[in-house]
Amino acid sequence: MNTMVIVYRFTLPDSRERVFELEMDRDTALLAPIAAPEPPAWTELAFNQCQGCPLQVAEHSHCPAALHLSGVIDGFTDLVSYDKVRVTVESEERSVVATLSAQQALASLMGLIMASSGCPRTAVFRPMARFHLPFSSESETAYRVASMYLVAQHFIARSGGPADFALDDLEGVYRGVHAVNRGMAQRLRAASRQDAIVNAVVLLDVYSSLVPAAIHDLLDEIKPAFAALLLPDSSTVA
């Protein structure tokens, strides 16, 4: 497997450090299988299974996203959602350092894990996981989501399929992710008393509700930067 590694380093308020190394397939953006000989009960597929989940217990004993998240929730005892943590995210291309709330930092890590976990509903975000940009702003997120979706439509059009260049079906993509976020929040409430862990998923769900609803307004804000590409003939633009 042609792999890539993304490392999250958390420095907590009491100076403890937690390090998570995520190894994923460079081509598919799937995380390497997790070694969990005795997974916790809350990771079982039937435990608060997400509404509309296409997986069957007979074929999948455990939720893939929950399995990968099970290694994250330990070690954040007594961490409050708004505690400030220092996070360094290292990839082959760059290192990003930020000091932000625990729930924001965990939302970035957990969102990356859920997208790459093998969950069939969050698989739509694997392209964004492959080109991970931690702690992106609202405008950056809108740009990345629209870019990801439109590249997918380009591939569909090249294959002769009906492409959605108007982003009309983007909300439907997020609807499936919303169901996963709700189901995962229920799992984590049963698994952990740490409010930062649960609120990180709640924060992800807020994004999944706001982005598709506001995507056109957010893109309109950055439209002036595209002026040269919107000219009748932009082929001569350097």
Side-chain angles (χ1 to χ4, degrees), residues 57-129:
V57 174
E59 299 174 357
H60 302 271
S61 60
H62 291 77
C63 165
L67 273 180
H68 282 283
L69 287 175
S70 63
V72 173
I73 68 171
D74 295 331
F76 291 102
T77 306
D78 300 327
L79 192 64
V80 178
S81 293
Y82 291 98
D83 281 343
K84 292 297 182 182
V85 297
R86 180 180 173 85
V87 188
T88 302
V89 183
E90 302 166 0
S91 64
E92 294 175 355
E93 296 82 10
R94 66 186 63 86
S95 292
V96 177
V97 182
T99 298
L100 64 175
S101 70
Q103 66 177 6
Q104 289 175 305
L106 285 167
S108 181
L109 171 61
M110 294 169 71
L112 174 60
I113 290 174
M114 290 170 69
S116 303
S117 65
C119 167
R121 303 299 290 274
T122 60
V124 292
F125 290 127
R126 271 196 251 156
M128 292 179 69

Side-chain angles (χ1 to χ4, degrees), residues 2 19-20 30 33 42 60 100 117 125 136 155 157 167 181 184 187 194 201 236-237:
N2 185 17
V19 180
F20 301 93
L30 270 171
W42 64 270
H60 302 271
L100 64 175
S117 65
F125 290 127
S136 55
F155 290 136
L167 309 180
N181 290 335
M184 190 57 65
R187 287 180 183 272
Q194 303 151 9
V201 179
T236 59
V237 177

Side-chain angles (χ1 to χ4, degrees), residues 8-229:
Y8 268 73
R9 301 181 185 276
F10 289 77
T11 302
L12 307 184
D14 60 4
S15 298
R16 284 183 300 139
E17 188 175 81
R18 294 298 313 276
V19 180
F20 301 93
E21 294 189 8
L22 306 181
E23 181 180 332
M24 66 175 64
D25 186 293
R26 190 184 303 274
D27 297 325
T28 65
L30 270 171
L31 286 171
I34 188 170
E38 296 183 9
W42 64 270
T43 65
E44 294 178 1
L45 183 63
F47 186 92
N48 285 324
Q49 186 172 5
C50 299
Q51 184 178 4
C53 174
L55 301 182
Q56 303 297 318
V57 174
E59 299 174 357
H60 302 271
S61 60
H62 291 77
C63 165
L67 273 180
H68 282 283
L69 287 175
S70 63
V72 173
I73 68 171
D74 295 331
F76 291 102
T77 306
D78 300 327
L79 192 64
V80 178
S81 293
Y82 291 98
D83 281 343
K84 292 297 182 182
V85 297
R86 180 180 173 85
V87 188
T88 302
V89 183
E90 302 166 0
S91 64
E92 294 175 355
E93 296 82 10
R94 66 186 63 86
S95 292
V96 177
V97 182
T99 298
L100 64 175
S101 70
Q103 66 177 6
Q104 289 175 305
L106 285 167
S108 181
L109 171 61
M110 294 169 71
L112 174 60
I113 290 174
M114 290 170 69
S116 303
S117 65
C119 167
R121 303 299 290 274
T122 60
V124 292
F125 290 127
R126 271 196 251 156
M128 292 179 69
R130 170 61 180 82
F131 299 100
H132 184 51
L133 179 64
F135 323 129
S136 55
S137 67
E138 206 172 57
S139 294
E140 288 171 331
T141 299
Y143 181 74
R144 296 180 69 231
V145 167
S147 299
M148 174 197 71
Y149 188 79
L150 291 173
V151 168
Q153 303 312 307
H154 164 74
F155 290 136
I156 291 172
R158 283 181 60 183
S159 300
D164 173 29
F165 292 117
L167 309 180
D168 291 335
D169 296 331
L170 182 61
E171 188 170 351
V173 170
Y174 269 90
R175 197 176 300 122
V177 175
H178 174 62
V180 174
N181 290 335
R182 292 186 62 183
M184 190 57 65
Q186 291 178 331
R187 287 180 183 272
L188 292 173
R189 286 189 183 98
S192 174
R193 293 179 178 272
Q194 303 151 9
D195 79 324
I197 292 287
V198 176
N199 286 343
V201 179
V202 173
L203 189 59
L204 285 174
D205 196 43
V206 170
Y207 293 153
S208 71
S209 299
L210 292 179
V211 170
I215 189 73
H216 292 290
D217 289 337
L218 291 170
L219 293 178
D220 282 343
E221 292 177 5
I222 63 174
K223 184 178 177 180
F226 288 80
L229 287 167

